[in-house]
Amino acid sequence: MLKYIIRKSLVTIPMLFVISIIVFFAIQLSPIDPISYSASPDVAVDSENLEALREHLGLNDPLYIQYYHWIIAVFKGDFGYSIITGQPIAKILALKLPATIELSLLALVISTIIGVAMGLVSAIKPNSMSDYFSRNVAVLGISIPEFFFGIIIIQIFAIQLGWLPISGRIGVNDVTFWDRLPNLILPSFTLAIGMLAVLLRYTRNSMLDVLSKDYIKTARSKGIPEWKVFIFHAFRNSLGSILVILAFRLPMLIGGSVIIEMVFMWPGIGNAIISAVSSSDYPVIMITTMMLASAILVASFLVDVLSAFLDPRIRLE
Amino acid sequence: MTMTTSAIEVKAKKTSLLKIRMKKMRSNKLATIGLLVCIGMTLLSVFAPFITSYDPAQMNLSNITQAPSAEHIFGTDKLGRDVFAQVLYGGRVSIYVGVLSALGGTIIGVLAGAIAGYFGGKIDSILLRFSEIFMTFPQLILVLVLVSLLGQGVNNLIIVFVITGWMTTFRLVRNEFLTVREETYVSVCRSFGIPTSSIIFKHMLPNTMSPIIVAFTVNVAGFILAEAGLSFLGLGVPVTTPTWGNIMNAAQSIDVVTNYWWLWLAPGIAISLFVLAINFLGDGLRDILDPKQ
Amino acid sequence: MRKLNSILKVENLTVSFSDGKESTKILKDVSFSVFSGKMLAIVGESGCGKSVTVHSIMQLLPKNGKIDSGKVLFNDGGNEVDLVSMKKYGKQMRAMRGQKIGMVFQDPMASLNPTHQVGKQVMENLMQHYKIPKKEARDKVIELFKLLGIPDPEQRIKDYPHQFSGGMRQRVMIAISMICNPNLLIADEPTTALDVTIQAQIMDLMKELQEKHDKSIILITHNMGLVAEVADFVAVMYMGRIVEYGTVRDILNNPSHPYTQSLLKSVPVMGLDKNQKLATIRGTTPNPKDYVKGCEFAGRCDFAMESCLTRDIPDINLTNSHQVRCLLVEESKEVIAK
C-alpha cells in the first residue's frame, strides 16, 4: 500500500510543479508589468522607487531564479496582488474559496447519493421501467446546459412557488448552516445534475459488469438473499471504480461551479475568475486556476488512495 | 483466383455488416429520432433565410420585449430583434463551433493516440502525462484563461476548444492501439515490411473507428454546451454574432428571468434539444457499432 | 446388485435461452438420476449443455435462460421436493443452495470474491443457514481447511484469494461448497483451469469426499480419462440431449452410441491399446438454432441412415442400467429379436 501511495505521489507531485511552471510562464507571457502584481500598490506608487524595487524584488534576475523566488513565496502563501484592485490575491482566495468549497461539497454529496442510488436501482432490474426512466434522466442530465437548468428551477421554485431564495449567499458569521441552507439548495442541486448523471450511468454499468462475474454466482450458490448479493458482493466490488470515476470527474464539477455561481450570484471563486477574465487581471486568473487545479489534483490523489485501499490486491501489495 | 473470391467474400461480408447495422439503427428508435432531430435542426439553421423574413440583427426599438405573437412567434428581445430569427441563425454558429471543434479535437486526439499507442515507451508516457496535466484543469476554466489570452471570436473559440478537448479521444485511441498492437495481424503486417504509417492508418485505425465515432458525437455535444456556457457568461463568441448561448446572455439578469421568459426559454430548449438528440444518437451508435452485441 | 437410492432425479428437463426475440432450446428432455454416495460424470464437448444442466438444477441460470418444463426431484432427507417448482431466489430454493446442495465452479480465481477474506467467504455460507456465533463458525472453517489440506488455516482464513495458488483457491471453493455438509455436491469442471499435477490432487480430494464422507457428486468434465478413473455413472451429452447413460463400465466397455464411441477414440484412456491411433470427430458442433428433427449427431455420424433425420429417436434400454438414444441399437436389437 505504501508502495502504491509513493508511486502515486511520484506522479502527483511533479504534476503540481509542472502546473506551477505553466502558470508562472503564462503570467510572464501576459502583457503586464510584473511589478504591478509583485508589490503592494501602496509601495509601488512611488515611481522613483520603482527601479530599486524591481531590483530588490529580483525582477531583473533570470527567469528560473524568478520562478524559484515565486514558488517559495507561493508556498508561504504570498500570491502577489491583483492588478485591478491591488488586493493581495491570498486575501481574495481566502474570501471566495469557502463559498465555492461549500457549494461544490454539497453538490458532490447530493450527486453521489442520488446518482449511486439510482444507478443501483437501475442495475438491479435492467430494462425495467425504473431503469428506463433513470437512463433517460441521465441523458437529460448531461444534455441540458447547467445555466438553463438553473434558470428553470429559479423560475419554478423561487419565482413561481416562492419556496426558496432566488440567489445570493448568507455570510458565515452569526448564522448556522441551517440558516444558510435555503440559499444553497438551488445552486448545489443545479451543480449536482451533471455529476449525478455521470455517476448514475457509471454505477449502473459497473454494477451490471460485476453482476456478470463468476463470484456473484458463487455468492448465490450459498443461498444468501439477493439484497446481500447486491450490497456485499456486487456493490462492494463496484465501489472502487465508482470512486475512480468520481475523482476523474471532479474538474467537471469545479468547472461547472463557475457558471452556476454566475447564475445564482454566488460569491465564490468562479465569480472572481469571471470578473478577472473580463478585466484581464491575469495574476488573479492564473493563481486561482492554479489553486483549483492543485486542489483537484490533491483530491484525486486522495480518492485514488481510498479506492486502492478498497482493493486488497493493491492494499496488500 | 482464390484472391478474388476471398475479396468478394470480404466485400459481401462488409455489406452484410452494414446492412445489419442499418437494421439495428432503424430498430433503435431513440437513435433514429436523435439523428432526424440533428439533421432537421441543422437544416433549419442553414436555410434560415427561407424560413423567417426577419434579420436577426435588425433592431426595432419601437417593438422591444414583445411576448410571442403571430408576428414574432418567439417574441422580441430588449433591442426589438426577432428571437425566432436569432435562434435559427444562432444555430448556425453553435453547430459550426461544435462540429468543427470536435473534428479538430478528434484529429489531434487520433494522431497523438495512434503515435502513443503504436510506439509506446517514452513518447507514450510523455504524451500521457501531457494529457493528464490538461485534464486536471477544469476544462471551462482552462478555456476562460485561453480566451482571455487569445481574445474572443468564433475562430479563437474553436482553437481553444481543440486545444482543451483532444484528451478523451487521445486516451481512447491510445488504449485501443495498445490492445490492437498485440494482435497477430499487426505483427504479420510488420514482418511483411509494410510501412508504419500504412499499418497505423490502413490497418489499425479502421479497427478503432467505432469508439472514435461515438467519442466524436459526445464531443460535439460537449462543445456545443461549452460554447453556450461561455457565451452565456459573455466570454465566448462576441455578442454581435448570435449563438444559442449569446441569446441567453440576457438571462443573466434576474429581471429577464422573471419577466421575459421567451428570451431564455426558446434558445435554452434549442440547445437542450440538439444536445439531447446528439447524445441519443451517440448512445445508439455505441450499441450499433459494438461488435460484441 | 445392491439397490441404490437416488438423491436426485432429473425428469424431462427442457431449458431454452432467448437472445432478443428468438429463443433456442438448449436442453431437450434431459432425464437422469444421481445415486446416493456415487459420482455421476456428465461428459460432452463444450456447448453441449452440461453446465446448463447443473445450473438449472441450482436455478442459477442467467436471466435469459428459462426452464420450460420438467422436474428436478431432490431427496431432502426422505422428503422428495421438486426444485423447479420453487421460486428462483425464494426462501425454499435458497435453503437448498449451499446447505443441501454445494457447488464448485470451474475457474477458482474468478469464482472467489477478490475483495473478501477467504475465511469470510466460507463463513458466509455457514452463517446463512445456521444461527451460530461467529467464533464457532470460524473454528469450523479452520477445521474444514485442515481436512481439505490447506496449510496454516488459522492464518490463511484472513488472506484474500489473490494470495492463494490456483489449487489452494479451488480447495477454498470446495470448502465453501462443503461447509454446510450437503449430501450433493455439483462440480462444474473443477479442474479445467488448473495445472495437471494440481488437477490430480483436487480430483483425489473429491473422490475422498465421496467415498469417506458418503457424498453424492455430479462431476462435469470433457475429460474421458478422468471419467474412467473416478466416476461410477456416466451421462454422455450431445447438443442438449443425453445420448447415452450407464455405469462407467457400460460406457467404457460397451459404448453404444456412435458419438460416445468417437469420443472414446479421441482421448487416451488408461488400459486402452497403446498403439491405437487417436481419432478426431469429423465436423464441428452445429448451431443449436439450426436443429430440425431427429438425431443431432446424424450430420457427423459415420453410420447415419435416412431415418435418423426423419424420425423421433427413442431412448433404448440395453440393460437396466444402460440407455442409448440411437436407431442403430434399435435395429440391432430387432435383429436379435428376430
Side-chain angles (χ1 to χ4, degrees):
Chain A
M1 187 68 194
L2 194 68
K3 230 165 132 191
Y4 179 83
I5 293 175
I6 291 170
R7 208 172 58 221
K8 273 276 160 191
S9 43
L10 279 181
V11 178
T12 307
I13 292 168
M15 292 249 297
L16 282 171
F17 273 101
V18 172
I19 288 171
S20 75
I21 291 171
I22 295 173
V23 165
F24 175 75
F25 282 97
I27 300 177
Q28 295 294 325
L29 282 175
S30 67
I32 50 168
D33 186 349
I35 193 78
S36 55
Y37 56 84
S38 304
S40 160
D42 323 325
V43 190
V45 278
D46 192 349
S47 59
E48 286 197 1
N49 275 340
L50 221 54
E51 213 31 57
L53 191 61
R54 211 181 278 278
E55 190 61 42
H56 173 73
L57 289 169
L59 297 179
N60 297 328
D61 292 342
L63 274 181
Y64 63 91
I65 293 182
Q66 284 194 44
Y67 170 74
Y68 173 75
H69 288 307
W70 178 79
I71 195 79
I72 297 279
V74 164
F75 270 115
K76 285 183 184 155
D78 173 12
F79 301 121
Y81 299 84
S82 158
I83 58 167
I84 304 295
T85 62
Q87 264 182 309
I89 296 175
K91 208 171 161 192
I92 299 177
L93 287 178
L95 209 65
K96 305 273 189 177
L97 210 50
T100 299
I101 290 175
E102 183 179 65
L103 182 63
S104 308
L105 268 184
L106 193 60
L108 189 65
V109 170
I110 293 173
S111 56
T112 310
I113 292 175
I114 301 181
V116 170
M118 285 177 81
L120 277 177
V121 172
S122 255
I124 290 172
K125 280 202 168 154
N127 300 323
S128 64
M129 276 307 279
S130 66
D131 176 35
Y132 195 71
F133 172 77
S134 294
R135 276 155 72 191
N136 285 324
V137 165
V139 182
L140 267 174
I142 55 167
S143 301
I144 298 181
E146 289 153 320
F147 57 92
F148 183 50
F149 186 81
I151 292 170
I152 291 174
I153 66 170
I154 287 180
Q155 180 73 25
I156 296 174
F157 293 101
I159 296 172
Q160 300 297 334
L161 297 171
W163 291 350
L164 294 161
I166 291 174
S167 61
R169 178 185 187 232
I170 293 174
V172 192
N173 304 328
D174 305 329
V175 282
T176 63
F177 175 76
W178 300 110
D179 292 324
R180 291 185 287 124
L181 191 62
N183 283 67
L184 261 167
I185 291 176
L186 291 184
S188 55
F189 191 72
T190 310
L191 183 55
I193 286 294
M195 191 74 157
L196 187 157
V198 169
L199 285 173
L200 193 167
R201 282 186 127 176
Y202 197 81
T203 305
R204 175 183 182 274
N205 292 346
S206 156
M207 279 290 284
L208 285 181
D209 183 44
V210 171
L211 280 170
S212 69
K213 292 267 162 59
D214 281 1
Y215 55 76
I216 296 298
K217 213 157 60 184
T218 306
R220 284 186 171 138
S221 80
K222 296 177 200 170
I224 60 175
E226 278 297 279
W227 69 267
K228 278 192 180 173
V229 175
F230 279 114
I231 301 300
F232 296 138
H233 292 271
F235 183 55
R236 166 67 183 79
N237 288 37
S238 319
L239 205 55
S241 55
I242 293 174
L243 277 177
V244 169
I245 211 73
L246 192 85
F248 189 70
R249 289 307 183 113
L250 268 183
M252 187 179 93
L253 192 74
I254 303 292
S257 75
V258 174
I259 290 184
I260 302 300
E261 285 181 10
M262 291 307 284
V263 175
F264 289 93
M265 288 176 226
W266 191 255
I269 282 289
N271 239 313
I273 290 183
I274 298 290
S275 57
V277 168
S278 321
S279 57
S280 297
D281 195 345
Y282 292 104
V284 173
I285 303 173
M286 299 302 174
I287 297 286
T288 41
T289 308
M290 181 176 80
M291 295 312 286
L292 288 182
S294 312
I296 288 165
L297 212 54
V298 172
S300 316
F301 171 74
L302 292 177
V303 177
D304 262 353
V305 169
L306 182 62
S307 74
F309 185 76
L310 287 173
D311 188 341
R313 280 164 296 189
I314 303 176
R315 184 179 44 198
L316 302 173
E317 199 180 71
Chain B
M1 182 60 206
T2 41
M3 277 295 278
T4 45
T5 45
S6 72
I8 289 165
E9 266 167 26
V10 166
K11 204 166 191 187
K13 229 181 192 172
K14 258 189 186 166
T15 46
S16 72
L17 195 61
L18 191 73
K19 261 187 199 158
I20 291 169
R21 282 177 179 171
M22 294 279 278
K23 205 175 138 198
K24 268 190 187 169
M25 177 84 195
R26 256 175 281 139
S27 67
N28 191 332
K29 278 189 198 109
L30 281 176
T32 316
I33 294 172
L35 182 67
L36 291 178
V37 169
C38 280
I39 294 175
M41 288 181 78
T42 311
L43 288 178
L44 279 177
S45 28
V46 169
F47 294 108
F50 301 102
I51 292 156
T52 177
S53 53
Y54 290 101
D55 177 348
Q58 181 64 53
M59 289 184 262
N60 182 354
L61 292 176
S62 63
N63 204 14
I64 60 166
T65 54
Q66 293 289 306
S69 60
E71 197 101 326
H72 301 280
I73 57 170
F74 287 174
T76 61
D77 71 0
K78 284 189 157 174
L79 297 170
R81 294 175 295 196
D82 181 59
V83 177
F84 181 61
Q86 283 195 307
V87 171
L88 283 182
Y89 283 90
R92 288 182 173 185
V93 184
S94 290
I95 297 170
Y96 174 77
V97 169
V99 171
L100 228 62
S101 308
L103 211 59
T106 303
I107 290 171
I108 294 185
V110 166
L111 283 178
I115 291 169
Y118 183 82
F119 294 105
K122 240 186 199 140
I123 184 144
D124 174 42
S125 51
I126 289 172
L127 283 169
L128 195 63
R129 287 281 160 274
F130 200 58
S131 76
E132 272 171 6
I133 289 171
F134 266 95
M135 283 169 119
T136 356
F137 289 98
Q139 198 200 9
L140 192 86
I141 292 177
L142 198 59
V143 168
L144 278 177
V145 171
L146 289 172
V147 166
S148 74
L149 290 175
L150 288 175
Q152 286 175 257
V154 174
N155 290 331
N156 279 355
L157 200 61
I158 292 174
I159 293 171
V160 169
F161 280 161
V162 171
I163 294 174
T164 58
W166 54 275
M167 292 88 70
T168 41
T169 315
F170 161 75
R171 291 175 83 98
L172 189 133
V173 174
R174 171 190 173 265
N175 291 342
E176 288 283 324
F177 262 57
L178 280 178
T179 13
V180 172
R181 190 174 64 156
E182 302 306 322
E183 279 174 28
T184 335
Y185 76 94
V186 176
S187 49
V188 169
C189 281
R190 241 180 260 146
S191 58
F192 277 170
I194 295 173
T196 309
S197 63
S198 161
I199 296 178
I200 290 180
F201 292 109
K202 283 200 183 138
H203 296 270
M204 290 168 83
L205 198 57
N207 281 295
T208 56
M209 229 34 216
S210 307
I212 294 174
I213 292 171
V214 174
F216 175 77
T217 60
V218 173
N219 281 342
V220 172
F223 286 130
I224 287 180
L225 284 179
E227 184 277 324
L230 277 179
S231 299
F232 168 74
L233 295 174
L235 298 166
V237 175
V239 273
T240 44
T241 321
T243 73
W244 287 334
N246 265 342
I247 309 171
M248 291 195 71
N249 181 248
Q252 273 207 38
S253 95
I254 204 68
D255 174 45
V256 171
V257 174
T258 319
N259 300 319
Y260 310 118
W261 53 268
W262 57 92
L263 288 185
W264 49 266
L265 197 60
I269 288 176
I271 305 170
S272 307
L273 196 62
F274 194 82
V275 174
L276 197 63
I278 292 191
N279 280 329
F280 276 129
L281 176 63
D283 267 9
L285 284 176
R286 200 192 310 267
D287 294 342
I288 292 159
L289 297 174
D290 186 356
K292 276 171 244 151
Q293 300 232 340
Chain C
M1 201 172 169
R2 185 167 66 96
K3 176 92 177 86
L4 289 168
N5 292 320
S6 69
I7 185 163
L8 185 84
K9 269 190 285 184
V10 174
E11 289 178 358
N12 308 94
L13 190 65
T14 302
V15 172
S16 61
F17 274 64
S18 63
D19 60 350
K21 283 158 205 156
E22 281 172 83
S23 114
T24 312
K25 280 211 166 97
I26 299 296
L27 288 190
K28 285 164 265 183
D29 227 5
V30 167
S31 303
F32 62 88
S33 299
V34 184
F35 297 104
S36 280
K38 297 291 173 192
M39 187 186 286
L40 167 76
I42 304 181
V43 292
E45 295 168 69
S46 41
C48 69
K50 299 169 291 191
S51 268
V52 174
T53 306
V54 289
H55 280 88
S56 306
I57 294 171
M58 286 289 262
Q59 288 222 49
L60 285 176
L61 288 172
K63 278 207 168 105
N64 57 340
K66 199 177 140 266
I67 299 175
D68 295 327
S69 59
K71 282 181 182 165
V72 175
L73 300 168
F74 177 67
N75 186 344
D76 181 13
N79 266 343
E80 197 165 70
V81 288
D82 181 9
L83 300 184
V84 173
S85 70
M86 296 176 180
K87 266 173 83 183
K88 201 172 171 189
Y89 297 120
K91 251 194 176 147
Q92 263 187 313
M93 190 64 221
R94 284 197 287 106
M96 294 293 145
R97 281 189 210 121
Q99 186 184 16
K100 310 281 172 144
I101 308 173
M103 191 152 177
V104 177
F105 297 96
Q106 178 172 352
D107 181 354
M109 188 68 231
S111 308
L112 294 174
N113 190 327
T115 62
H116 291 277
Q117 295 172 352
V118 292
K120 207 181 135 202
Q121 298 192 46
V122 183
M123 275 160 67
E124 189 180 28
N125 194 5
L126 188 58
M127 296 184 71
Q128 173 64 35
H129 300 290
Y130 298 97
K131 299 271 163 282
I132 53 167
K134 237 181 175 168
K135 173 96 184 36
E136 199 180 315
R138 209 183 59 220
D139 291 344
K140 284 212 150 130
V141 173
I142 293 172
E143 202 181 303
L144 183 60
F145 271 25
K146 264 186 203 146
L147 181 78
L148 294 174
I150 299 172
D152 198 14
E154 285 87 357
Q155 288 307 310
R156 299 236 68 179
I157 53 165
K158 286 183 214 134
D159 283 348
Y160 290 89
H162 73 275
Q163 293 165 308
F164 285 78
S165 66
M168 284 299 151
R169 273 180 222 144
Q170 197 59 304
R171 283 171 206 253
V172 172
M173 188 67 226
I174 293 172
I176 292 178
S177 65
M178 291 299 303
I179 188 72
C180 290
N181 203 18
N183 283 325
L184 177 63
L185 202 61
I186 298 175
D188 185 355
E189 308 213 24
T191 58
T192 310
L194 303 175
D195 291 342
V196 185
T197 48
I198 310 295
Q199 281 184 10
Q201 289 175 14
I202 295 291
M203 270 337 291
D204 287 348
L205 187 64
M206 300 214 54
K207 195 66 194 164
E208 194 186 312
L209 284 173
Q210 180 220 334
E211 282 170 350
K212 269 201 198 156
H213 300 266
D214 201 31
K215 302 292 172 203
S216 316
I217 295 180
I218 303 178
L219 173 74
I220 291 196
T221 181
H222 53 251
N223 184 341
M224 267 297 190
L226 190 66
V227 170
E229 277 174 54
V230 298
D232 301 304
F233 289 86
V234 181
V236 181
M237 279 192 91
Y238 185 77
M239 293 277 296
R241 276 193 209 275
I242 292 187
V243 293
E244 187 162 1
Y245 176 88
T247 62
V248 70
R249 238 179 248 140
D250 292 333
I251 301 291
L252 291 180
N253 298 344
N254 184 24
S256 304
H257 195 285
Y259 177 63
T260 314
Q261 290 163 3
S262 36
L263 206 60
L264 282 169
K265 274 185 214 149
S266 68
V267 282
V269 176
M270 239 191 281
L272 280 187
D273 185 1
K274 271 180 198 158
N275 298 322
Q276 201 181 332
K277 227 178 155 188
L278 288 181
T280 52
I281 303 179
R282 180 160 59 83
T284 50
T285 317
N287 189 338
K289 274 184 192 166
D290 302 334
Y291 172 69
V292 198
K293 204 176 176 177
C295 174
E296 284 85 354
F297 190 61
R300 299 168 77 185
C301 179
D302 293 332
F303 314 102
M305 309 168 290
E306 212 184 301
S307 53
C308 289
L309 284 173
T310 49
R311 278 187 50 182
D312 284 326
I313 322 266
D315 281 325
I316 295 145
N317 284 326
L318 289 176
T319 67
N320 55 5
S321 68
H322 192 179
Q323 282 122 38
V324 187
R325 187 174 177 279
C326 182
L327 290 178
L328 293 167
V329 179
E330 188 185 46
E331 294 213 333
S332 58
K333 274 195 106 180
E334 273 167 17
V335 172
I336 293 164
K338 270 175 195 168

